[in-house]
Structure formats: C-alpha cells, structure tokens
Amino acid sequence: MEKTFDAAAEEPRISALWREAGAFAAGAHARPGADAFSILLPPPNVTGSLHMGHAFNHTLMDILARWKRMQGFDTLWQPGLDHAGIATQMVVERELAKAKAPGRREMGRDAFVRKVWEWKAQSGGTILRQCERLGDSFDLSRNAFTMSGAPAAPAGEEGNFHDAVLRAFVTLYERGLIFRGKRLVNWDPHFETAISDLEVEQVEEMGSLWRLRYPLEGGATCEHPVAFDEDGRPTAFETRDYLVVATTRPETMLGDTGVAVHPDDPRYAHLVGRTVRLPLVGRSIPIVADAYADPEKGTGAVKITPAHDFNDWEVGKRAGLGAINVMDTRARIALRDNAGFWAGIDGGDELADLDGMDRYEARELIVALAKDQGWLDGIDAETHTVPHGDRSRVAIEPFLTDQWYVDAEKLAGPAMAAVREGRTRILPESQEKVYFHWLENIEPWCISRQLWWGHQIPVWYGDWVDPQGRLQHEAGGATPPADEPHVFAEHGRLVRAFCGASREAVREDAEAWYRARMGERVIVRFEGESEDVAGEFPEEADVAFVMLRRDPDVLDTWFSSGIWPIGTLGWPEETDDLRRYYPTSVLVTGFDILFFWVARMMMMQLALVGEVPFRDVYVHPLVRDEKGKKMSKSLGNVLDPLELIDEYGADAVRFTLAAMAAMGRDLKLSRDRIAGYRNFGTKLWNAARFAEMNECRPVPGFEPTGVRLTANKWIVGETGRLRVALDAALGEYRFNDAAAALYGHVWGKVCDWYVEFAKPLLADPETAAETRATMAWALEQCLVMLHPIMPFVTEALWGQTAERGTVLALGDWPTFGAEMIDAEADAEMNAVVGLVDEIRSVRAQMHVPAGAKVTLVTVETAEPAWLDRNRALVARLARIERFETATEAPKGAVTVTVGGFAFAIPLAGVIDVDAERVRLAKAIEKQEREAGGLRSKLGNAAFMARAPEEVIDEARARLEALEEEITILAAARDRLAGL
RNA sequence: GGGCGAUUAGCUCAGCGGUAGAGCGCUUCGUUCACAUCGAAGAUGCCGGGGGUUCGAAUCCCUCAUCGCCCA
C-alpha cells in the first residue's frame, strides 16, 4: 500500500465501480419487505454549476441515503433538473448575443424555445456530472426534468412532468384556487415580465426626496408655519396657494390621480375634498384623507399614483381614485396612445418630450422642468429601500396588468395544519415559526410570466358570448359579469377562458359552451388551425366560427417545481412509485428556499393529492466564507467545491461539511479545516496499512463477542458504542455529532490506543491470531460506519483489504450495540490508558528524555491486577523498563495516582525537585478546588433534600475518589519537602 | 417598524439544567519498524453585562449592549 490515499486517481475509478454495480438504483440492497426511504434532490437549475451550497446540501442527503441504503431500506434518492425559466432564458439570450445570432424577438417563440432545448442538450446538466465528483448516490436512471414531455421537447426529453404541471394547473383552476386578475404586480422592466413577491429584493439606496408644489385650485389656500417658539410650536405662518408633496419618484407624477393627507392633520383638514392641478399635465386631482399619509414624514401630504406604487394602489382603492399607467413594459414613459392618460386633459408641450423616455431620464427632466417652472420646493437626501428583481438586478416597477394568481391563502391552511399536527416535522424547530409566519401573512401568488421558456398556461380564450347568444366583439371597457368566473377583459373586450390539460379537452369544453349559447352549428378552432370548415358542415353555409387563442404566458418556475415530489413519481398516473415512495421521508434544504419551494410544495401537494410531501424537513444553514460573508462571485470569496475536491479529495470536503453542519447556524468554511479532515482520511488509511503489514485479514464467521483478550474486548465494546452514538446522531440529523463520533473513535480510540495495544499482542504467537481477526474486524466496522460520510476512501480500503462480494456502498450496516461492551475490559483498559497518560505527562514535565526508560513502582504490597495483566502495554507506551512494588515511594521519585493506586517513578538525578513541587501543588490545588465544591454541595441541606439521588451518589463517589488522590499527592508533596 | 437568531479558549464553533469541550492555531519535545497529511506533552475561558428562577445556570426567564439574518 501507498502511504496516502490518492484521491484524484482513485475517485473516478470508485465512481465507475458504483455505477457498474448499480449501487444507487432505487431499491438496491433493500431487505425483502423493507420500508421505503425516499429523498428528493432539490433540482438544481439546468444552467447551474456546482457551488458550495449544493455541495453541502448534497453531502447531507448523500449521507442519509447511503446510511439508509446500507441499513437495508428501499432507498430512492430522486435526482433531476429545474428548467429555471428566467435564469435559463437569460443565459440563452446572452449566448445568442455573444454569438451575434438573431435575438429572441427576431427568431420568434418557437425557434427560440428550440434553441433553449438545444442549449440544454449541449450544456445543461453539467451539474449532475459534477455531483458525481462529490459522490452523490442518486439514481441517475430516474433523472427528471421539470420540462420533460413539453410540446417542443426533443427526443430523449420525453416524460410526464409537463403533463403533471398542466394537470396541477387545471385541477387548481377548476377548484377555484387559481384566478386571473388585473392588479399591480412586481414588474421586471428588464425581462419584461411579472415576478412574484419572493423574487423581489429590497435594496437600501442613497436617494433624494423631492418636494413638489402642486397648485391649489378654486382659490384654496393653506397656512404654512414659518417660525417656531422654543417648544417647537409655530408662531408665524405664511399663506400659500399650493400644496407641497414629497416623493422619491417624481417621474410618476404624470400618473398621479390624487394627493393624500392624514385625516387628523390640522394643517390640511380644510383642504380635503378640494383639488390641485397637476403641473405639466394639467389634470385636476382631488385631495383625499387617508391614514397612509404620515404627518411626520415629508410635508405630511403625499402624491398618489395608484398605477405605480403598491401603497398608492391601496389608497386609490379606498378613496375611489383612478389608476393611470404612464409607462410601458420597459419602464419607459408611454403617453402617446395612452387613452387613460389623455382623458380630460390637453397637456403641455413638455409631455411630448417625455414620451418614450426611460423612467430615470424622465425623472431628471421632470425635476429640471419643476425647477425652471418654479414648482420644485426643494430636495432632501434620504436613504430608502428600492425593490429590485433578484435576477435582473434592476429596480422593479409596480405595474398594472392582468396576471394569473394562486389563491395562496386558501392553500395555506392545510399546509399549516400539517405541520401543526406533526404530519410534517420542520427541523430545527425555529424554522417552524418562520414557516407559520409566512403562511399566515401570505399574499396571492402571481404565477404567470411573460416569458417563452416554461410551461405555457393551459388556458385558451375565445370571444365572449352572452347568455342570449350575442357575441361581444367590441364591448370596449365592458367589465366581466360578476356571475361569470371565466370571463375576462382582454385588450378592451370580453373573452371566455377555457382551461384544460389537453387541446381535445378544451375543444370539447368550448364547443359545448358555444353550442349551448349559439346553437349546434359552431366550429371551434385553435389559433393556427385551418379555418376551412367545409368538411364538418358541408351542407350549411351559416356556420359560426370561433377561434381560440392560447394565453401566451408561461408558469412561474416555482409552480412546476412545486409539484416535484409527486411529479417525479409519475403523478397524475397512480404509479407504483407513488405508492411506494410517497410521501418522501425527508427534504433536506437551505432556509433560503423555505418559502420559494418548501412551503409551496406543502401547499400544492396537499391540494393535489391530499397528503404531505415529506415527513421531515431538515432546514440547514448556508455556507459562508471564513469571515462569515455569503459567498458571491462579486465578492470573489467563492470557494469552488470542485477545486477543493481536486485539492483535498471529496471525502475531506464531505467530512468537513458534515462536521460543521450543526443545526441552526451559518457555517464558515476554511481550507485549514478541510486539510485537517483530509489528514483524518490519511490516518485511517495508515491504520489499514498497519493492519495489512501485520496480516490482519477479515476472518469469516468472526464473532466479536467471543474474543478473549481484554484489549480486543475493549475495542469491540468501543465499536458497539460508536454504532449506537452514530445511529442516534444520524437519526436526528445531527451530522456534526455523527462526524465527531467517528473522528473520535477512529483517531482517538482505534489509532491512538488500539493499534498500540495490538502491537505487543501481534508479536506474541499466543495472542496474535485473535488480535489479527479483531483488528481486521474493528477496522472493517470503521470503514462501514464511515462510508456514508467518506465514501471514496472507505470503498477503496474495502476493496483492498479483502475479497468482497459486493461494493461497500451496498455493504451491511451493523446492528450491534451496548451488548458488546464488557464492563471489566472497559475499566481495565481505561486504567491502563489513565496510567500511561499520567506517566507520559510526568515524563514530559520532568523533561525525561523521550528515549529514556524508567522504572514504575507501585506503592503497595502488590500491583493491581489490571497492571499485572497489561505490563507489556504499559512498558511499551510509557517507556517503562522495570515494574516493582514497594511499601513506600523511593526518594527522588515522582508520584502519580490512577484508580486509587499510587505509583512512583524514581527519577534520581533527573528529577527537578522544584518542578515536581510545582506540579504536585498545582494538581492538588485543582483537585481541592473540585473537592471543595463537592463538599459544600454535600453539606448543603437543600441539595441533599432536593437533588436526585443519582446526583448525590455521584457527587459522593467523585469526592471519595478525589480525596484518595489528594491524600496520595499530598503524601508525595510532604516527602518532597524532605529533599 | 415586525420577527428570528447569535455573543463560550487566539480563530472557527459544539455543548443548552448536574465536574467547561472539539478542530485549527500556538509553545516544548520527538526521524521508537501504520502514519511528519505524524506522535507526546502543555498553555489559554468571571461561557457579552446586569438581574431573577433553582439545591444547582454556559444551559431556563427578564433586561441592556453589540452583531447577524429574514420580512415590511
């Protein structure tokens, strides 16, 4: 064997081994009749590449999957990719621009979608190959994709996911849980699409607060304070014929439809109901009373632009103000063909200059005009939060449009109940509160996107026909009848919506509806279909013809990933997989997508199949850099997991992540830490190397509880202890405890002590055979139990140390436990360890040369039995040459105590009396401090009366042992005084 | 503004009612036949401040301070 594990060379070979063995197939290594353990890979974006967050998330899942698989559960780890609407469309558009190819608009929708599929075939899914480097054991034969089976999907992209998404939409639509509405949305002017609340990030920016003067109409005036007394009360006023409003967005004044003041604001009470004349525009707009106007902020009067601000929208609704949209989809001022804008005004020349201008240019121009025309009252610097699109990074524009919404409030109830009733657990518990808080305050979820890459909404529109059979072609401005839920106003006319999972279903539905209103001779066609109706009604000339146009929008990516749990298992078909693996066992995810994904999956699965999607949700922290900063490309502090794997090996990276995965806190990753765990792998490797050199090979039928030698019994017991601790930790997602238990066992027990104990035993023919077998077994168990966290090095050693019938990934997880512990062996070896530690410590402190051999004197008539039996070990580990007994410690010796026995080490000529005096004094002081505490405790009547008996007994026993040691040490100190 | 969390050894963090822990770093010693990606030994803590509950508090409660994060 080499001295170290060559991760770079071995890892690909081992990955291939697993692939060939089909080790990750669902159900591999399942016991007959085993329960299922299923876990979903949160589908990475098809555009993505593996970053540290994935590496962490995947490592935790892989540990669970490998552990459960080895335990014999019917394990499914379901992988797949997310089509990631905006992100992918963005990437492909960027690629097209880079290649100087025609852009999206030039090539048209169908061609563009084909391009995206081409791109996906070529470079999508890189991330899944990168996952192999990490050791992810998901079942790639079941790889899913959120766009599989979509109409334009090329060969090889078949699947049911598209059908499932449409089915989900139709089901929710039919149950009234999806609706269409005209309201303000968060509009991304860069991508020209609506986005949901969650995709908006609030960014704090330095900005200005502009004060604008709006002239009062009808001779109204207001008194404005100009001087104050020392208590801040106004003492002098000036009469003004204008109102000052403060705004951070002067450009939206073009769409103002009112000015609000607080109802209790004495300054303006008399003005409520009057009007102001909007500068530049010339529109008369009312002054309204609304508590939204904060008397403390600005001037206390606030301009109201319902079409461009969420708060103003609400004020406008309350006050009955109209909403005038003054921008286009790219957030440019749009006035020319804007009928709503021109209604009732004729406007000044400046408006022509503003038309078509970007919103920020328009802002500058309007401020300049205000200054020139004397209605700019002043400018204050102010910081404020500005909403930004999380993908585009541009300021979003509240925008009045028709969009599809999920009535999230109705879905939230069952999602909260499921957690409240414990059908789904969220861990750590603190995340439950976050979950509830969000669901309790949930707003309708905007799910339509004005994009091309995604699931096109399965809704078609045809002209509305009223119950009397009259077509409403030109019903401009008509509002949909209240009793008709499927009727909407589209581009100024009424349309009837038909929703269905297939064209056939929609055609049938539509035909039935139209025929009921217009007679049997109605032909329904989809846009793009032939308009030739001759074949169907050859005899009839007066056939009514209805054309259905599909809603061009696509669904929010999170709508489709929201059904990931059932969609990947074949829903809406009632598949065996669904029965077998649903609900999934656990979802492992970062808290950053608790709302985006987890809560929505809960809502959607409960709505669609009436059952929770997962039993447990383990919410893990985010990976940050060494300084605790979120890793980001712009900060340049990104640690690339692949680079780290190249440098330290996948096992080291995985172990580090597991070791740092304590619940509820961010984890800060450092290279030192990874190097440390790489060293741990080397340590294990060399223990195996030692075993190989000593011909320790697994013995078939080896029975660990049948060993005779104390040291062997001891390591068998320690191994049992580890299994219990490890399973307990993993069962509660305490990955860091699992990692610590393994580290402590392998390094602290096996390597530090058992290997050393074994050395003399291996040299003695009497004890060699049993020790070889035990050593092989103990190491084998280390490999097995370490495998979920460090799969590569353990698999390599597994294959190297014996002929195996199977890969370790499909090895059997142990079930032994506390019954393996032999209390006597435990006590004996602990005494040996204690003695060796004491002697080593004394030697180091007395500066005894490392190579020097010394004598150990038991200050007693006879040696304790445990020492007698383990002389060879102590001799070797503590460098003892001779063992003696004496009733009194020799002069010039140092004293140590172990298990109530006093041992002396004669160091005549070597001993530094002063150093020994200091050492003893220090030891006694420490013991006395503890003993003192215990004595006062035991002397405390309240403690004796109220503390549990075990605690009292424990304290007594501990005090007794302490006093014994103190006696010995004190005697040693007194003897020293004579020197 | 609302909510959540953190404050423990030089650093990064466990522990969350019964004797203060780990890794890294640091100091000293060591080329003993598994391992220098190593071994042995060692130092370092009023467990953020104050108050309370309790026989007993790093751990539970209150409060203050500081720092994060999420939602407005």
Side-chain angles (χ1 to χ4, degrees):
Chain A
M1 278 173 82
E2 297 298 316
K3 273 192 170 182
T4 57
F5 173 61
D6 184 353
E10 288 288 287
E11 284 171 4
R13 186 184 67 76
I14 292 163
S15 287
L17 213 60
W18 290 327
R19 266 201 310 275
E20 284 156 25
F24 306 152
H29 192 251
R31 286 184 318 265
D35 286 339
F37 178 81
S38 53
I39 184 164
L40 299 161
L41 181 76
N45 286 0
V46 63
T47 56
S49 58
L50 194 77
H51 59 62
M52 219 55 223
H54 295 123
F56 180 44
N57 177 246
H58 292 204
T59 294
L60 302 186
M61 279 186 281
D62 194 50
I63 289 167
L64 293 175
R66 286 179 183 270
W67 175 52
K68 289 289 179 180
R69 193 180 293 118
M70 291 173 84
Q71 284 188 327
F73 284 83
D74 178 355
T75 304
L76 165 65
W77 185 10
Q78 171 67 50
L81 292 169
D82 192 291
H83 70 279
I86 293 185
T88 307
Q89 183 159 324
M90 183 170 85
V91 167
V92 174
E93 284 194 78
R94 202 188 291 143
E95 292 294 311
L96 290 173
K98 219 190 284 171
K100 303 235 188 312
R104 169 166 73 96
R105 279 169 230 279
E106 290 163 78
M107 66 170 61
R109 183 164 187 157
D110 291 348
F112 179 75
V113 169
R114 271 200 302 280
K115 259 282 174 278
V116 180
W117 277 109
E118 274 171 36
W119 178 87
K120 192 251 175 189
Q122 179 201 322
S123 55
T126 307
I127 190 165
L128 292 178
R129 288 188 292 279
Q130 294 172 329
C131 290
E132 189 175 71
R133 295 284 321 276
L134 242 196
D136 282 359
S137 67
F138 45 61
D139 184 356
L140 210 48
S141 73
R142 292 175 175 246
N143 195 23
F145 181 44
T146 54
M147 278 288 278
S148 71
E157 299 285 358
E158 298 84 2
N160 77 320
F161 214 95
H162 178 68
D163 293 343
V165 171
L166 295 196
R167 171 67 62 189
F169 184 94
V170 172
T171 304
L172 297 178
Y173 178 87
E174 285 172 353
R175 287 173 38 198
L177 296 167
I178 287 182
F179 63 90
R180 184 166 176 81
K182 189 187 238 10
R183 28 168 92 205
L184 277 194
V185 287
N186 298 295
W187 186 266
D188 187 317
H190 179 257
F191 290 118
E192 294 177 77
T193 179
I195 57 178
S196 71
D197 303 347
L198 286 179
E199 290 158 280
V200 175
E201 280 176 10
Q202 303 295 337
V203 181
E204 188 129 301
E205 284 183 353
M206 266 306 273
S208 302
L209 191 68
W210 286 272
R211 296 195 307 274
L212 307 178
R213 298 175 176 177
Y214 286 7
L216 288 156
E217 288 186 310
T221 56
C222 66
E223 298 300 310
H224 186 78
V226 290
F228 303 88
D229 65 15
E230 52 204 12
D231 295 329
R233 276 189 297 264
T235 53
F237 297 86
E238 69 173 24
T239 303
R240 287 178 171 179
D241 59 354
Y242 57 85
L243 206 55
V244 175
V245 297
T247 179
T248 57
R249 301 206 55 198
E251 70 280 11
T252 64
M253 60 85 65
L254 298 170
D256 283 1
T257 57
V259 171
V261 296
H262 195 276
D264 303 333
D265 194 332
R267 290 173 293 178
Y268 305 120
H270 67 290
L271 292 175
V272 172
R274 311 294 293 245
T275 57
V276 294
R277 190 174 179 78
L278 196 54
L280 292 182
V281 179
R283 184 184 301 128
S284 281
I285 58 175
I287 297 163
V288 300
D290 195 290
Y292 167 66
D294 182 351
E296 306 291 314
K297 264 175 74 179
T299 60
V302 57
K303 64 193 262 317
I304 300 297
T305 323
H308 292 283
D309 183 282
F310 286 99
N311 289 314
D312 292 7
W313 172 257
E314 294 299 325
V315 174
K317 259 205 311 207
R318 286 194 289 268
L321 304 175
I324 299 173
N325 192 348
V326 295
M327 293 189 205
D328 66 9
T329 56
R330 297 197 194 185
R332 292 175 302 207
I333 303 299
L335 304 179
R336 190 164 309 151
D337 301 317
N338 191 337
F341 177 77
W342 293 107
I345 60 160
D346 37 19
D349 300 338
E350 303 93 346
L351 294 176
D353 296 335
L354 285 163
D355 192 44
M357 224 178 221
D358 172 79
R359 51 184 163 169
Y360 297 114
E361 289 173 30
R363 174 181 299 179
E364 279 182 37
L365 180 52
I366 284 174
V367 170
L369 287 170
K371 197 171 174 191
D372 290 350
Q373 299 176 357
W375 48 280
L376 179 67
D377 192 68
I379 307 175
D380 303 317
E382 198 198 55
T383 60
H384 48 259
T385 51
V386 180
H388 283 68
D390 65 354
R391 289 284 168 188
S392 65
R393 319 304 307 174
V394 303
I396 67 114
E397 192 63 47
F399 200 53
L400 193 56
T401 56
D402 287 297
Q403 303 289 342
W404 287 100
Y405 293 88
V406 167
D407 189 348
E409 205 181 327
K410 290 209 184 89
L411 298 184
M416 286 190 276
V419 172
R420 206 166 280 131
E421 290 159 17
R423 279 176 284 139
T424 292
R425 289 197 303 163
I426 298 180
L427 301 163
E429 232 173 285
S430 59
Q431 293 295 322
E432 250 185 34
K433 286 184 204 156
V434 182
Y435 173 85
F436 284 129
H437 185 256
W438 188 69
L439 286 174
E440 277 159 12
N441 299 290
I442 198 159
E443 294 286 328
W445 169 20
C446 177
I447 52 169
S448 43
R449 297 289 180 274
Q450 289 65 50
L451 302 172
W452 288 351
W453 174 239
H455 298 279
Q456 193 170 352
I457 290 173
V459 170
W460 284 259
Y461 304 105
D463 285 327
W464 151 252
V465 177
D466 71 13
Q468 287 71 48
R470 292 172 303 206
L471 269 167
Q472 299 286 295
H473 267 302
E474 305 295 332
T479 46
D483 55 344
E484 288 277 4
H486 306 293
V487 180
F488 306 106
E490 285 278 320
H491 306 296
R493 65 188 197 179
L494 292 181
V495 293
R496 170 60 157 87
F498 299 94
C499 175
S502 68
R503 285 191 167 213
E504 290 63 42
V506 169
R507 193 192 305 271
E508 212 171 287
D509 188 14
E511 274 176 359
W513 190 81
Y514 281 110
R515 283 175 184 172
R517 300 193 169 208
M518 302 170 70
E520 284 303 309
R521 288 184 302 281
V522 175
I523 301 283
V524 170
R525 283 288 185 273
F526 291 99
E527 201 172 33
E529 284 181 337
S530 164
E531 297 186 21
D532 178 13
V533 297
E536 292 184 47
F537 292 93
E539 319 282 312
E540 307 282 347
D542 58 339
V543 169
F545 181 84
V546 176
M547 182 67 85
L548 295 184
R549 184 183 54 84
R550 188 167 185 176
D551 193 313
D553 292 351
V554 301
L555 288 165
D556 179 7
T557 297
W558 295 101
F559 185 88
S560 47
S561 52
I563 60 163
W564 189 241
I566 50 176
T568 52
L569 293 172
W571 187 85
E573 308 300 321
E574 289 181 21
T575 60
D576 287 341
D577 282 346
L578 263 177
R579 274 189 288 275
R580 181 111 208 91
Y581 296 117
Y582 189 86
T584 62
S585 309
V586 56
L587 181 77
V588 178
T589 184
F591 63 76
D592 51 333
I593 53 173
L594 186 66
F595 306 145
F596 271 111
W597 196 46
V598 182
R600 285 166 174 174
M601 278 193 287
M602 288 291 286
M603 293 194 284
M604 289 181 78
Q605 259 54 215
L606 283 163
L608 294 170
V609 297
E611 170 74 285
V612 296
F614 10 77
R615 298 285 178 219
D616 287 353
V617 177
Y618 172 61
V619 182
H620 61 67
L622 295 186
V623 185
R624 295 173 190 277
D625 75 358
E626 292 175 58
K627 297 185 190 78
K629 286 257 172 12
K630 193 169 174 175
M631 291 191 185
S632 78
K633 278 180 196 159
S634 55
L635 285 174
N637 59 350
V638 180
L639 281 178
D640 178 359
L642 295 171
E643 222 171 83
L644 294 174
I645 289 171
D646 287 340
E647 189 172 348
Y648 301 102
D651 292 322
V653 174
R654 291 170 58 111
F655 201 97
T656 308
L657 293 170
M660 299 181 72
M663 283 201 203
R665 269 229 244 180
D666 295 342
L667 56 112
K668 297 173 190 162
L669 199 58
S670 76
R671 300 180 94 91
D672 282 348
R673 192 91 190 238
I674 303 171
Y677 291 122
R678 186 264 327 267
N679 296 354
F680 174 62
T682 305
K683 190 74 182 173
L684 173 75
W685 182 265
N686 278 290
R689 197 161 150 251
F690 169 82
E692 189 205 37
M693 288 170 153
N694 287 281
E695 294 167 358
C696 304
R697 278 186 265 282
V699 173
F702 174 77
E703 196 43 70
T705 47
V707 295
R708 190 173 46 84
L709 298 167
T710 311
N712 290 338
K713 283 182 177 171
W714 174 79
I715 197 61
V716 165
E718 288 295 339
T719 305
R721 249 195 261 277
L722 171 66
R723 197 240 104 210
V724 174
L726 187 56
D727 279 351
L730 289 177
E732 294 168 43
Y733 310 107
R734 286 185 285 109
F735 297 94
N736 57 318
D737 285 348
L742 284 162
Y743 192 98
H745 176 79
V746 172
W747 202 313
K749 295 287 189 333
V750 175
C751 293
D752 284 351
W753 293 107
Y754 183 62
V755 166
E756 296 306 328
F757 294 160
K759 282 174 184 172
L761 298 175
L762 289 168
D764 182 345
E766 284 276 306
T767 52
E770 181 187 289
T771 304
R772 277 198 197 100
T774 310
M775 174 68 72
W777 176 86
L779 282 172
E780 188 178 279
Q781 294 309 314
C782 289
L783 298 183
V784 170
M785 288 191 266
L786 208 43
H787 183 260
I789 303 187
M790 301 187 114
F792 290 101
V793 68
T794 52
E795 188 72 70
L797 287 170
W798 175 260
Q800 215 161 109
T801 48
E803 281 298 316
R804 311 282 184 175
T806 172
V807 290
L808 179 55
L810 299 179
D812 293 328
W813 191 261
T815 54
F816 51 68
E819 77 285 354
M820 308 265 278
I821 300 166
D822 179 317
E824 283 176 36
D826 219 38
E828 179 162 327
M829 296 320 291
N830 285 344
V832 171
V833 168
L835 179 60
V836 170
D837 272 343
E838 287 289 343
I839 299 169
R840 280 174 172 173
S841 180
V842 158
R843 289 177 60 120
Q845 284 178 64
M846 294 299 120
H847 303 295
V848 177
K853 298 209 167 185
V854 297
T855 300
L856 182 71
V857 182
T858 304
V859 189
E860 200 68 62
T861 48
E863 274 179 358
W866 56 262
L867 177 56
D868 186 44
R869 281 195 294 270
N870 293 285
R871 275 195 208 169
L873 291 182
V874 176
R876 183 186 184 88
L877 297 175
R879 314 234 92 206
I880 300 294
E881 195 168 34
R882 287 153 43 93
F883 290 86
E884 290 175 3
T885 59
T887 47
E888 204 161 303
K891 282 204 169 77
V894 293
T895 306
V896 297
T897 78
V898 175
F901 283 86
F903 300 93
I905 302 162
L907 292 174
V910 184
I911 187 170
D912 176 336
V913 177
D914 287 333
E916 174 65 354
R917 198 175 284 129
V918 169
R919 186 186 73 87
L920 286 171
K922 218 166 156 183
I924 292 167
E925 192 200 320
K926 192 175 160 220
Q927 314 266 45
E928 271 297 351
R929 210 177 322 134
E930 200 188 328
L934 287 167
R935 276 188 212 103
S936 73
K937 229 178 193 182
L938 290 164
N940 182 334
F943 174 78
M944 297 305 286
R946 300 196 198 183
E949 206 157 323
E950 312 91 83
V951 175
I952 295 174
D953 289 346
E954 216 176 282
R956 273 209 193 94
R958 177 74 191 139
L959 180 60
E960 208 172 306
L962 277 172
E963 283 173 340
E964 206 164 10
E965 287 190 32
I966 291 167
T967 312
I968 293 167
L969 294 173
R973 181 192 54 199
D974 296 346
R975 249 191 341 275
L976 218 54
L979 283 179

